[in-house]
């Protein structure tokens, strides 16, 4: 599919492995690759597993793009928020096998998935936007508000607090944590279990449950296009 994301589909499970440098920076090309892979997964009628390299899911948006111009930054964030919205409404389950750090947009990938598995270790998970001088965008606020616990939302979005994998479960970023050498085996086990789901019922229920969030994100994305970050 793409050198930036390796796509492999086997027995109804599509694995998307992020492969964009040492921090898997989310760039415009990376988002285009994501969308292509999700298109293919829909055609394959496959449950999706998203993972990264050992020690890193993603460190967030490509800072070279974010600092190149206000317009480029706004466009990248808008396309990233649109990707999050697409993940939340994807017709098949999406599992993230978080292989290490997940910062900023990397953490938003977790918040956009149906099931999230992290690994044990000294890894940071969370939203560091205020730490790097970025005012949190409206879409990010709405997504975090919906998926995080109320205390973690305040600590994460406003204070930029990062969580270790175990604390990230209580915060709402992860659903479980396993040893690193069990990550993909566990993710495949969850995906296999999810094959028992009636996918039409899954899709329709997901859209009902997330209807208000999806509508709120649509409005937030448009608002973010008119505001400086």
């Amino acid at each position: 599919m793409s050198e930036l994301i390796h796509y492999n589909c086997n027995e109804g499970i599509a694995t998307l492995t992020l492969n964009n440098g040492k921090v898997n920076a989310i760039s415009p090309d990376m988002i285009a690759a994501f969308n292509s892979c999700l298109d293919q997964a829909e055609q394959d009628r496959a449950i999706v597993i998203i993972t990264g390299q050992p020690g890193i899911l993603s460190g967030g948006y490509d800072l070279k793009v974010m600092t190149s111009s206000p317009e480029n930054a706004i466009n990248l964030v808008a396309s990233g928020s649109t990707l999050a919205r697409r993940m939340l409404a994807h017709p098949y389950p999406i599992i993230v096998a978080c292989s290490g750090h997940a910062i900023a947009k990397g953490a938003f990938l977790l918040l956009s998935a149906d099931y999230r598995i992290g690994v044990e270790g000294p890894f940071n998970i969370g939203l560091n936007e205020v730490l790097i001088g970025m005012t949190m965008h409206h879409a990010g606020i709405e997504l975090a508000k919906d998926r995080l616990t109320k205390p973690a939302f305040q600590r994460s979005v406003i204070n930029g607090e990062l969580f270790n994998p175990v604390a990230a479960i209580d915060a709402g970023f992860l659903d479980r944590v396993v040893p690193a050498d069990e990550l993909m085996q566990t993710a495949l086990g969850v995906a296999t279990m999810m094959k028992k789901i009636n996918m039409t019922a899954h899709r329709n229920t997901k859209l009902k449950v997330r209807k208000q969030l999806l509508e709120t994100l649509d409005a937030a994305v448009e608002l973010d296009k008119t505001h400086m970050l």
Side-chain angles (χ1 to χ4, degrees):
M1 294 289 296
S2 166
E3 293 183 357
L4 295 175
I5 302 179
H6 294 157
Y7 182 93
N8 178 67
C9 189
N10 184 44
E11 297 184 353
I13 301 172
T15 301
L16 282 58
T17 305
L18 311 189
N19 184 42
N20 187 24
K22 64 181 181 179
V23 298
N24 281 330
I26 306 298
S27 64
D29 288 341
M30 191 73 152
I31 291 173
F34 248 118
N35 281 307
S36 294
C37 288
L38 291 178
D39 288 343
Q40 185 62 53
E42 285 195 48
Q43 292 181 30
D44 292 335
R45 303 176 64 84
I47 294 169
V48 173
I49 297 174
I50 297 170
T51 192
Q53 306 302 324
I56 185 77
L57 176 67
S58 174
Y61 286 125
D62 189 332
L63 292 180
K64 291 182 180 178
V65 177
M66 292 295 290
T67 58
S68 61
S69 74
E71 181 181 9
N72 288 342
I74 289 171
N75 289 340
L76 179 55
V77 170
S79 62
S81 297
T82 302
L83 172 63
R85 198 257 190 224
R86 179 179 185 181
M87 289 175 61
L88 288 161
H90 192 70
Y92 298 94
I94 292 181
I95 301 160
V96 175
C98 182
S99 48
H101 299 293
I103 305 296
K105 185 59 182 177
F108 279 121
L109 293 177
L110 299 175
L111 298 182
S112 305
D114 300 307
Y115 200 89
R116 300 80 46 88
I117 307 163
V119 294
E120 297 172 350
F123 301 115
N124 289 321
I125 295 172
L127 308 173
N128 72 336
E129 278 79 355
V130 297
L131 300 178
I132 61 173
M134 179 179 173
T135 300
M136 183 66 76
H137 50 300
H138 293 91
I141 291 171
E142 297 298 339
L143 179 52
K145 186 185 298 182
D146 185 85
R147 299 302 303 269
L148 296 177
T149 65
K150 188 172 182 179
F153 168 75
Q154 299 286 332
R155 291 160 57 192
S156 183
V157 173
I158 296 175
N159 299 344
E161 181 176 341
L162 301 178
F163 301 86
N164 64 45
V166 173
I169 296 175
D170 291 334
F173 286 106
L174 294 175
D175 295 299
R176 64 193 291 191
V177 172
V178 299
D181 60 359
E182 297 179 12
L183 177 64
M184 292 312 297
Q185 177 185 354
T186 302
L188 288 170
V190 171
T192 299
M193 177 188 67
M194 286 183 168
K195 285 185 178 182
K196 299 176 182 178
I197 296 173
N198 179 293
M199 292 303 164
T200 299
H202 169 81
R203 179 193 65 222
N204 291 342
T205 301
K206 179 187 291 188
L207 293 177
K208 279 187 176 182
V209 169
R210 295 178 177 163
K211 181 177 185 293
Q212 183 175 352
L213 173 60
L214 295 173
E215 292 174 351
T216 299
L217 286 178
D218 287 338
V221 170
E222 292 305 311
L223 186 60
D224 284 330
K225 291 178 182 178
T226 67
H227 284 68
M228 298 292 290
L229 301 174

